[in-house]
Amino acid sequence: MQAKNVLLTVASAVALGFAALTANAQIKEGTVLAGGGLSLDFGTHKNERPGSNQNTTVTVETRYTNFTFNPKVGYFFTDDLALGLNLNVNSNTNKNKDNGIRSTSSSYTFGVFGRYYFPQKLFLEGEAGFGRQSYNEDDFRNKIFAYSLGVGYAAFLNDHLALEPMIRYQGTQYTNSRDNRYRDKYGALRLGLGLQVYF
């Protein structure tokens, strides 16, 4: 029984030591990373505003579905520092619960990103891109400028594959394509999970 405990202790120490060495290993110059993330969210949005008569309220409730796909590819120009290109594609559907009217929009942004890895596989990432948003029911379009800055962790499942939880601040500006005086600006704190392949 005592020998078994000693064996388990030694095995645990070796495993922890190996994990520490792996965690501190650098990602070498010349490595390529490729991957990205998917997200799907759905819910309801309720809008209330004063009615035409005093002391009345008009309520509009909408169901929405939002899908986002964001592939990226990067290259390590030096140890632990990667630069690359990314694409964000988004599709959104809204349906009025009262009258059943459905509206859809789609958008994309194409841009660049930079990522720096710290010793314990924590990384800092910044990105910026430009794109367009369109509504399918008419010819209304917006120009998009988006940027983000965040921190994440590369949890390697093996030598080449990593799950990457991340928290980031994202800013987005929508500008009317016909009249750039009309602008909407959004800022949000986002949590995400990505999958990357390193080779």
Side-chain angles (χ1 to χ4, degrees):
M1 189 71 170
Q2 200 169 20
K4 185 177 179 182
N5 289 339
V6 171
L7 185 61
L8 285 173
T9 302
V10 171
S12 299
V14 170
L16 287 172
F18 179 75
L21 288 173
T22 302
N24 287 313
Q26 291 180 319
I27 300 177
K28 298 295 185 184
E29 177 182 346
T31 299
V32 174
L33 72 85
L38 293 170
S39 68
L40 176 66
D41 59 281
F42 46 89
T44 58
H45 171 253
K46 185 179 288 187
N47 177 269
E48 295 181 352
R49 60 182 185 272
S52 55
N53 297 323
Q54 193 174 12
N55 299 324
T56 62
T57 301
V58 176
T59 302
V60 178
E61 192 167 352
T62 304
R63 292 178 179 160
Y64 70 85
T65 304
N66 191 56
F67 173 75
T68 303
F69 174 52
N70 56 325
K72 65 174 59 178
V73 61
Y75 180 80
F76 285 81
F77 287 91
T78 185
D79 291 352
D80 294 328
L81 177 63
L83 300 175
L85 302 173
N86 67 331
L87 176 68
N88 283 283
V89 179
N90 177 270
S91 176
N92 182 274
T93 301
N94 292 281
K95 184 177 180 181
N96 188 304
K97 290 180 69 174
D98 295 324
N99 56 28
I101 294 176
R102 183 189 301 264
S103 65
T104 59
S105 68
S106 59
S107 66
Y108 71 89
T109 56
F110 182 74
V112 297
F113 75 92
R115 191 184 268 200
Y116 181 77
Y117 290 77
F118 296 96
Q120 299 298 328
K121 291 297 176 284
L122 290 170
F123 61 83
L124 183 68
E125 180 179 282
E127 62 180 44
F130 295 89
R132 297 235 175 222
Q133 179 188 48
S134 61
Y135 291 85
N136 293 347
E137 65 271 13
D138 55 33
D139 61 354
F140 182 80
R141 286 175 172 78
N142 284 319
K143 294 181 285 187
I144 300 173
F145 170 66
Y147 64 91
S148 70
L149 182 65
V151 63
Y153 175 71
F156 279 85
L157 306 177
N158 56 39
D159 289 341
H160 301 286
L161 188 65
L163 282 175
E164 298 182 344
M166 190 172 183
I167 183 169
R168 70 171 72 220
Y169 175 81
Q170 181 172 326
T172 309
Q173 176 176 291
Y174 298 89
T175 304
N176 189 301
S177 295
R178 295 174 177 172
D179 189 340
N180 61 19
R181 294 176 301 172
Y182 293 90
R183 298 179 183 178
D184 288 312
K185 296 180 181 181
Y186 297 88
L189 193 63
R190 296 185 180 274
L191 297 173
L193 180 66
L195 183 68
Q196 301 290 342
V197 179
Y198 295 77
F199 56 93

